[in-house]
C-alpha cells in the first residue's frame, strides 16, 4: 500500500481549506445581510406602528379632533396601516430573513388574505379622503357638514373595509386566484421550499390580477387624480379672483401692499391654506411681491399635491404594474423583485401619518400634548399670527378641511366666492352667519 508523502498531505490540506474558505465567507456574508435586513425592516415596522398609533391616540384624547368628520377617515386609515404593521409586516419580515415559511399552508392563505385586505383598505381610505376634500372644497362648502352626515361617513368607512374582503378572503380561501395555474404554483413551492412545504407561494391568474389591481389601485388612483386636480384648479381660481379684486380696488389696499403667502404648516387639506398679510408702504417699487405672490402660491400648492400623489404612486405603482404584467409573461418576474415592490408598498403605510396627519396643525398640537405629558400650553396657541401686521389671516376650513376660501385684511371682514360666504372653521360657522352686533 503506497503512503502519501508529507508534501502531498500538505497540498491536500491547503486545497481543502481553500474549498471551505469561500463557503465560510458566503455564510458570514449571508448572516451579515440577514442582520442588516432585520434591522432595516424592524425600523420600518416600529416607525409605522408609532406614527399610526399616535394618530389614533390623538383622536381619542382630543375632543376637538373628534368634531371633524374628515379626521375619522384619517384615523380609520391609521388603524388599517397599524394592522399592516402589526400583522402583515412581521410575518413577511420573518419569511424574508429566514427564507422559509414555517406556519403551514392554511395560515399562508390567511396571511395572504390579510395582506390583500389591509393594504387595499389603506388605499381605499386614501381615495375617500381625496373625495371628501373634493366635496368640501369644490362643491358645496357651506352645506358640507349637512351633506356629509355621520351616516354617509359610516357608509364610506364601511365600504373601505368591506370591499377588500371580496378580493381577499373570499377568492383566496376558495383558491379562485389559482384556477388554471395549479401546476405552476406547485412547481414554485417545490423549488423554493422543497418537499417539506416550507414556502408560502402566492400567484394569481390573469382574471384575478386584473380585477384585484383595478379595485385596489387603478380605480382609486383615477379618482384621486381627478379629485386633487379639481382641488388645485379651484384653489388657483380663487387666488386669481382675489388678485382681480385687489387690482379693481375692491379690497382696502390704501397704505398697504397685500401679499399672498403660503404657510408651511398645512392642515388636513393637500392644498395648503393661504394667508393674506399686509405690509405698510405704497411705492411702486414695493409692488413686486404682489406680482410674484401668485407664482409662489401655485408652486407651493403644486409641490404639496405632487408629494401626496408622488408618494402614493411611487410606493404602489411598481407592485400593481408587475401584478398585471406577470401573468402575461408566464410568471417570469423574480421573487426578489416581487418582495422589493411589496415592501415598497408597505412603506406607504408608514408615510401616510406624515402626509395626512402630521401636516395637520390640530393633530400636531395634539401630538405635542401627548408627547409632552399633557402640557396644555400647545392647545392655547393661536392659529395664525404675524407681528407688525395690520390684518388677520385664517384658513378657510369646512369640517377640518382648510382651503383658500376665506381671506381677510381686517377683522370681521370676509370675502365671498361666487356669492357664497366663506367660513373660517366649523366653530365659527354659526357666528359668521349672525348679523353684527350694534
Amino acid at each position: 500500500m503506497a503512503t502519501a508523502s508529507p508534501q502531498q498531505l500538505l497540498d491536500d490540506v491547503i486545497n481543502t481549506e481553500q474549498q471551505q474558505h469561500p463557503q465560510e465567507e458566503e455564510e458570514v456574508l449571508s448572516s451579515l445581510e440577514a442582520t442588516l435586513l432585520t434591522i432595516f425592516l424592524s425600523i420600518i415596522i416600529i416607525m409605522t406602528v408609532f406614527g399610526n398609533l399616535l394618530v389614533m391616540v390623538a383622536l381619542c384624547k382630543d375632543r376637538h379632533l373628534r368634531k371633524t368628520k374628515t379626521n375619522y377617515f384619517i384615523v380609520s386609515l391609521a388603524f388599517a396601516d397599524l394592522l399592516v404593521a402589526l400583522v402583515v409586516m412581521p410575518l413577511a419580515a420573518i419569511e424574508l430573513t429566514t427564507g422559509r415559511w414555517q406556519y403551514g399552508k392554511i395560515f399562508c392563505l390567511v396571511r395572504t388574505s390579510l395582506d390583500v385586505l389591509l393594504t387595499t383598505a389603506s388605499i381605499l381610505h386614501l381615495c375617500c379622503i381625496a373625495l371628501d376634500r373634493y366635496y368640501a372644497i369644490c362643491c358645496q362648502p357651506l352645506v358640507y357638514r349637512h351633506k356629509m352626515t355621520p351616516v354617509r361617513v359610516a357608509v364610506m368607512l364601511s365600504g373601505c373595509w368591506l370591499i377588500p374582503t371580496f378580493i381577499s378572503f373570499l377568492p383566496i380561501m376558495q383558491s379562485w386566484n389559482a384556477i388554471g395555474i395549479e401546476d405552476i404554483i406547485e412547481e414554485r413551492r417545490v423549488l423554493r421550499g422543497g418537499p417539506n412545504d416550507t414556502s408560502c407561494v402566492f400567484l394569481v391568474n390573469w382574471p384575478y390580477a386584473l380585477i384585484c389591481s383595478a379595485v385596489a389601485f387603478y380605480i382609486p388612483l383615477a379618482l384621486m387624480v381627478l379629485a386633487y386636480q379639481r382641488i388645485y384648479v379651484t384653489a388657483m381660481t380663487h387666488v386669481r379672483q382675489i388678485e382681480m379684486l385687489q387690482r379693481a380696488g375692491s379690497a382696502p389696499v390704501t397704505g398697504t401692499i397685500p401679499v399672498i403667502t403660503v404657510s408651511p404648516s398645512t392642515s388636513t387639506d393637500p392644498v395648503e391654506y393661504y394667508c393674506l398679510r399686509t405690509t405698510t408702504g405704497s411705492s411702486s417699487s414695493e409692488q413686486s411681491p404682489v406680482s410674484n405672490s401668485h407664482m409662489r402660491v401655485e408652486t407651493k400648492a403644486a409641490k404639496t399635491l405632487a408629494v401626496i400623489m408622488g408618494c402614493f404612486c411611487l410606493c404602489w405603482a411598481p407592485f400593481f404594474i408587475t401584478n398585471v404584467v406577470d401573468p402575461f409573461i408566464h410568471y417570469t418576474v423574480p421573487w426578489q423583485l416581487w418582495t422589493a415592490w411589496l415592501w415598497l408598498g408597505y412603506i406607504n403605510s408608514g408615510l401616510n401619518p406624515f402626509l395626512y396627519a402630521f401636516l395637520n396643525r390640530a393633530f400636531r398640537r395634539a401630538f405635542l400634548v401627548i408627547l409632552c405629558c399633557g402640557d396644555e400650553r400647545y392647545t392655547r396657541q393661536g392659529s395664525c399670527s404675524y407681528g407688525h401686521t395690520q390684518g388677520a389671516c385664517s384658513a378657510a376650513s369646512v369640517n377640518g378641511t382648510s382651503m383658500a376660501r376665506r381671506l381677510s385684511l381686517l377683522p370681521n371682514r370676509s370675502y365671498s366666492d361666487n356669492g357664497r360666504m366663506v367660513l373660517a372653521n366649523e366653530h365659527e360657522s354659526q357666528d359668521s352667519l349672525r348679523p353684527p352686533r350694534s
Side-chain angles (χ1 to χ4, degrees):
M1 181 177 179
T3 59
S5 64
Q7 183 65 32
Q8 290 177 341
L9 293 175
L10 182 60
D11 292 340
D12 292 340
V13 171
I14 293 175
N15 292 332
T16 303
E17 290 181 352
Q18 289 178 348
Q19 293 175 0
Q20 294 178 350
H21 188 65
Q23 296 178 357
E24 293 177 357
E25 286 185 348
E26 183 178 355
E27 291 178 358
V28 172
L29 182 61
S30 177
S31 176
L32 178 61
E33 289 178 347
T35 302
L36 294 177
L37 184 61
T38 302
I39 294 174
F40 175 70
L41 297 181
S42 299
I43 292 174
I44 294 177
I45 294 173
I46 292 173
M47 292 298 294
T48 304
V49 171
F50 174 77
N52 289 286
L53 191 60
L54 193 60
V55 172
M56 299 179 63
V57 173
L59 185 83
C60 294
K61 294 182 68 69
D62 194 326
R63 60 185 179 86
H64 296 292
L65 293 176
R66 294 194 296 271
K67 295 180 180 180
T68 303
K69 298 181 182 70
T70 305
N71 292 341
Y72 286 97
F73 292 103
I74 296 178
V75 171
S76 185
L77 168 66
F79 181 64
D81 291 332
L82 180 64
L83 291 180
V84 171
L86 293 177
V87 178
V88 178
M89 289 188 187
L91 295 175
I94 293 173
E95 182 185 13
L96 181 59
T97 54
T98 61
R100 61 179 61 190
W101 177 258
Q102 303 174 350
Y103 306 105
K105 182 178 179 180
I106 300 299
F107 197 68
C108 170
L109 296 177
V110 173
R111 191 285 298 265
T112 304
S113 300
L114 287 172
D115 190 341
V116 176
L117 171 68
L118 297 175
T119 53
T120 303
S122 177
I123 294 174
L124 293 182
H125 277 89
L126 300 182
C127 181
C128 284
I129 291 173
L131 294 177
D132 173 77
R133 293 170 175 176
Y134 164 78
Y135 187 73
I137 294 169
C138 302
C139 296
Q140 301 182 30
L142 256 185
V143 297
Y144 166 79
R145 61 176 179 174
H146 300 294
K147 293 292 185 180
M148 191 62 68
T149 62
V151 174
R152 293 186 181 179
V153 173
V155 169
M156 295 176 67
L157 292 176
S158 299
C160 291
W161 289 99
L162 291 178
I163 292 176
T165 60
F166 293 101
I167 61 173
S168 58
F169 275 94
L170 181 61
I172 293 175
M173 299 304 294
Q174 298 295 328
S175 298
W176 293 348
N177 63 289
I179 296 176
I181 57 172
E182 294 87 349
D183 295 339
I184 299 176
I185 294 177
E186 187 63 28
E187 181 183 353
R188 291 288 181 88
R189 183 178 290 110
V190 173
L191 288 176
R192 291 184 57 182
N196 295 327
D197 194 19
T198 58
S199 64
C200 183
V201 178
F202 180 68
L203 295 177
V204 298
N205 49 33
W206 68 266
Y208 180 86
L210 293 178
I211 295 174
C212 177
S213 299
V215 174
F217 179 73
Y218 291 106
I219 294 177
L221 175 64
L223 293 176
M224 291 173 66
V225 169
L226 292 175
Y228 286 139
Q229 187 268 340
R230 290 303 307 164
I231 290 173
Y232 177 80
V233 170
T234 301
M236 294 305 102
T237 300
H238 188 71
V239 170
R240 295 187 187 98
Q241 290 175 352
I242 293 176
E243 291 183 346
M244 292 176 61
L245 289 174
Q246 294 170 358
R247 294 191 184 100
S250 298
V253 297
T254 304
T256 62
I257 299 176
V259 180
I260 301 177
T261 60
V262 182
S263 172
S265 58
T266 61
S267 65
T268 56
D269 197 87
V271 181
E272 300 181 337
Y273 70 86
Y274 312 104
C275 290
L276 191 63
R277 61 183 174 89
T278 61
T279 57
T280 58
S282 59
S283 61
S284 59
S285 61
E286 294 175 344
Q287 299 293 331
S288 57
V290 180
S291 61
N292 295 328
S293 61
H294 180 65
M295 183 177 295
R296 291 203 305 272
V297 169
E298 287 195 349
T299 302
K300 187 66 176 180
K303 287 181 178 179
T304 306
L305 292 178
V307 168
I308 290 178
M309 291 304 304
C311 289
F312 174 72
C313 293
L314 179 65
C315 290
W316 280 117
F319 175 83
F320 283 102
I321 291 175
T322 306
N323 192 48
V324 171
V325 173
D326 194 36
F328 296 97
I329 58 175
H330 306 292
Y331 305 95
T332 56
V333 176
W335 70 269
Q336 294 89 344
L337 187 62
W338 271 113
T339 303
W341 293 157
L342 184 60
W343 274 93
L344 188 61
Y346 291 159
I347 291 176
N348 185 249
S349 295
L351 294 177
N352 286 335
F354 295 91
L355 294 176
Y356 291 88
F358 282 71
L359 295 181
N360 180 351
R361 176 176 297 169
F363 268 105
R364 285 204 309 273
R365 289 178 186 160
F367 297 156
L368 289 174
V369 172
I370 294 172
L371 298 177
C372 297
C373 302
D375 193 339
E376 297 294 336
R377 292 178 301 171
Y378 302 101
T379 63
R380 296 193 298 266
Q381 296 177 357
S383 60
C384 184
S385 61
Y386 293 93
H388 306 293
T389 61
Q390 296 181 0
C393 63
S394 61
S397 173
V398 185
N399 287 300
T401 307
S402 64
M403 191 60 187
R405 290 289 195 181
R406 184 193 186 203
L407 300 172
S408 58
L409 286 175
L410 296 175
N412 300 326
R413 175 160 185 168
S414 61
Y415 295 101
S416 60
D417 182 13
N418 296 329
R420 295 175 296 184
M421 182 172 291
V422 181
L423 306 181
N425 52 52
E426 186 175 3
H427 303 295
E428 296 177 0
S429 59
Q430 297 297 330
D431 294 336
S432 301
L433 293 177
R434 298 191 184 114
R437 297 180 181 178
S438 57

